[in-house]
Amino acid sequence: MAKVKAIRGMNDILPEQTPVWQYLENTVKAVLSEYGYNEVRMPIVEQTELFKRSIGEVTDIVEKEMYTFEDRNGESLTLRPEGTASCVRLGEEHGLLFNQTQRLWYTGPMFRYEKPQKGRYRQFHQIGVETFGMASADIDAEVIMLSARLWKKLGLLDAVTLQLNSLGSNEARAEYRAALVEYLEARKDQLDEDSLRRLESNPLRILDSKDSSTQALLDDAPVLSDYLDDDSRAHFSDLREMLDAAGVKYEINPRLVRGLDYYCKTVFEWVTDKLGAQGTVCAGGRYDGLVKQLGGRPTPAVGFAMGVERLILLLETLDVIPEGVRQPFDLYLAAEHKGLQNQVISLAEHLRDAVPGLRVRVHCAGLKNIGAKARQTGAPLIALVKQADEGLVATLWQGEEPRFDIAQADLDTVIKAVWNA
Ligand code: ATP
Ligand code: MG
């Protein structure tokens, strides 16, 4: 019988990969906690309405990427394509937003029906950060600095570039949109097919068209920065000043608009040239209008989401995963001959008590070539237990170091010493 396979674009994460995932997740968590952020956990499924109303009807996500289905009650539900809308829904529903400030983060799978390829999957993972209730540029600077600190910790800082733009207020953007449409309408015949369609529905998205002739056409098009309102202009200059003071480098990309409708003022992306076409590892911006749009009171907000798979690809490509991350245990403990398994198991329990944090894996199969098998595990420490005249003794191996025999009673002390060294 043919075996059932996983769904295309939805990946299993295998035992040798999970340590790298955990390393990334733990590093992110540590940085977020250094900035005083709180975790939230949202459901993976929401009412379809939530995403339609927030992301925008004429965006790639809502037009063609959502996994939408009817449940048994005939209600339209959607597997979340991103986390911001759910996070706002959560905040509103539990009264966390009005008249308060919040610094929140979440992680988990997101779902988009896209063409699977390197760095682009149908189930992928994001770590998202969302802040609420803070209108000035200092919080924009904070979330960007937080991400910069993370890249530094992960050894990625030299491989990523920060791109920055301001989208201005809704009014400023509407005015710019009209000017852009007028310019492009007159040159319709030179637009690629996608851009032609967007000219009607979402003209700003034409700015990040991948088509080279469209890009060339844009060289002489009106630029968004000329249309910025005073408030957005001041906000953007405050942000740049803070980033300059903090030594965070950036490039202004006047064509950066982002694919979701809810952004205003600051937008940014961290991009790398090391992953081919899927080069954006983290993206975000300000979305002051979204809470109101979803039925709440006006609440300023800034956030971003990073793509976990792309960050892991980048860590692997740059070969910056610290040695030891992939090793799931410190000590491999085995009996050297038959009849000792009970003692080995209780010795392992004793060592876990006596040396907190020590990760012990006990050998639980045949004892043929036990030394070679133990070394194949790559364990930093190996203890082979045998019965000697004076009682239970363990031969301790540390890499290629000469081995030595230790009485059972001294084993925890010796292991503690060599393990900490
Ligand atoms: P792209 O332009 O690459 O399609 P996007 O603008 O759709 O990205 P966002 O919605 O801003 O992406 O999501 C934030 C981050 O999540 C992206 O920068 C990327 O790292 C990651 N991401 C988005 N879609 C996918 C996907 N299908 N597979 C893997 N990672 C993804
Ligand atoms: Mg996309």
Side-chain angles (χ1 to χ4, degrees):
M1 204 162 49
K3 288 182 185 163
V4 178
K5 293 255 179 77
I7 295 165
R8 202 162 101 86
M10 304 207 179
N11 300 316
D12 296 311
I13 301 158
L14 301 178
E16 78 252 24
Q17 297 166 306
T18 46
V20 180
W21 281 67
Q22 288 170 357
Y23 161 67
L24 175 64
E25 288 159 0
N26 291 340
T27 310
V28 177
K29 277 183 204 174
V31 170
L32 285 165
S33 111
E34 286 169 5
Y35 285 78
Y37 282 60
N38 281 120
E39 185 184 1
V40 285
R41 302 188 184 193
M42 297 92 68
I44 283 168
V45 184
E46 299 272 1
Q47 293 190 30
T48 303
E49 193 61 16
L50 176 68
F51 302 114
K52 284 198 176 165
R53 272 169 56 184
S54 54
I55 298 167
E57 294 267 6
V58 286
T59 55
D60 283 353
I61 293 180
V62 173
E63 274 185 341
K64 49 189 190 200
E65 294 176 358
M66 293 207 303
Y67 279 91
T68 297
F69 60 97
E70 278 191 4
D71 75 357
R72 288 171 192 274
N73 275 331
E75 210 178 335
S76 181
L77 305 183
T78 294
L79 298 184
R80 62 181 184 194
E82 56 109 46
T84 304
S86 306
C87 189
V88 169
R89 201 258 321 126
L90 170 150
E92 261 307 293
E93 196 161 331
H94 300 278
L96 306 182
L97 304 186
F98 180 59
N99 236 350
Q100 299 165 64
T101 63
Q102 294 286 353
R103 288 171 162 87
L104 308 175
W105 70 274
Y106 52 81
T107 181
M110 307 293 161
F111 302 84
R112 295 184 194 177
Y113 193 82
E114 298 201 72
K115 188 161 166 258
Q117 54 199 289
K118 182 182 169 193
R120 192 176 293 287
Y121 313 101
R122 290 181 173 176
Q123 172 173 325
F124 63 99
H125 296 74
Q126 287 184 339
I127 302 174
V129 166
E130 317 288 354
T131 71
F132 298 97
M134 292 162 277
S136 48
D138 44 2
I139 188 69
D140 308 41
E142 177 178 291
V143 298
I144 290 172
M145 281 158 64
L146 177 165
S147 49
R149 179 179 291 266
L150 177 64
W151 312 143
K152 195 168 167 207
K153 272 210 172 174
L154 292 169
L156 300 179
L157 194 57
D158 292 339
V160 291
T161 310
L162 173 62
Q163 300 203 342
L164 207 57
N165 195 19
S166 175
L167 297 181
S169 65
N170 289 343
E171 297 73 29
R173 218 158 45 254
E175 212 182 302
Y176 171 68
R177 188 183 297 128
L180 182 67
V181 169
E182 193 187 309
Y183 172 87
L184 292 173
E185 280 283 356
R187 295 157 182 84
K188 245 181 167 169
D189 51 321
Q190 299 168 56
L191 281 177
D192 65 281
E193 203 182 308
D194 259 354
S195 300
L196 207 52
R197 200 169 46 85
R198 285 178 175 148
L199 194 54
E200 307 279 309
S201 58
N202 198 348
L204 289 195
R205 286 302 309 280
I206 297 175
L207 295 181
D208 64 14
S209 161
K210 304 273 188 285
D211 186 88
S212 52
S213 72
T214 298
Q215 278 299 331
L217 195 59
L218 289 168
D219 285 342
D220 298 318
V223 282
L224 183 49
S225 52
D226 291 340
Y227 289 77
L228 288 190
D229 50 297
D230 291 344
D231 185 33
S232 298
R233 208 179 284 277
H235 187 98
F236 198 40
S237 113
D238 285 351
L239 171 61
R240 291 194 320 250
E241 225 170 83
M242 286 178 216
L243 293 178
D244 291 339
V248 177
K249 295 197 189 74
Y250 53 85
E251 284 171 6
I252 306 287
N253 176 357
R255 293 185 191 170
L256 181 66
V257 288
R258 312 277 306 110
L260 301 84
D261 271 0
Y262 48 60
Y263 288 109
C264 65
K265 289 185 177 163
T266 312
V267 286
F268 65 92
E269 287 191 1
W270 287 96
V271 294
T272 178
D273 57 8
K274 308 275 190 283
L275 296 180
Q278 272 59 251
T280 304
V281 292
C282 174
R286 181 167 277 280
Y287 50 97
D288 292 345
L290 182 59
V291 176
K292 181 158 179 266
Q293 199 177 309
L294 288 174
R297 309 215 205 178
T299 305
V302 195
F304 67 78
M306 45 195 145
V308 176
E309 283 83 354
R310 290 186 195 176
L311 285 170
I312 287 176
L313 278 170
L314 189 56
L315 288 169
E316 285 168 346
T317 305
L318 299 175
D319 200 12
V320 290
I321 299 163
E323 218 179 299
V325 161
R326 288 193 168 92
Q327 179 63 40
F329 52 92
D330 308 301
L331 171 70
Y332 196 79
L333 190 66
E336 210 162 278
H337 43 255
K338 266 196 178 152
L340 292 177
Q341 193 64 356
N342 276 351
Q343 282 104 309
V344 164
I345 287 170
S346 47
L347 180 57
E349 289 298 323
H350 167 73
L351 289 172
R352 292 184 188 110
D353 287 335
V355 191
L358 182 73
R359 300 170 305 167
V360 186
R361 182 177 279 189
V362 173
H363 180 82
C364 288
L367 297 180
K368 243 192 214 161
N369 298 328
I370 188 65
K373 276 184 197 149
R375 275 189 296 277
Q376 272 165 19
T377 67
L381 288 170
I382 298 168
L384 298 182
V385 178
K386 63 185 175 194
Q387 189 70 54
D389 295 342
E390 65 274 26
L392 220 51
V393 165
T395 310
L396 193 68
W397 292 73
Q398 186 178 21
E400 302 300 312
E401 294 292 298
R403 57 186 191 170
F404 43 102
D405 287 354
I406 302 146
Q408 181 188 12
D410 301 328
L411 194 58
D412 51 6
T413 320
V414 175
I415 285 179
K416 209 183 267 175
V418 291
W419 181 56
N420 285 328

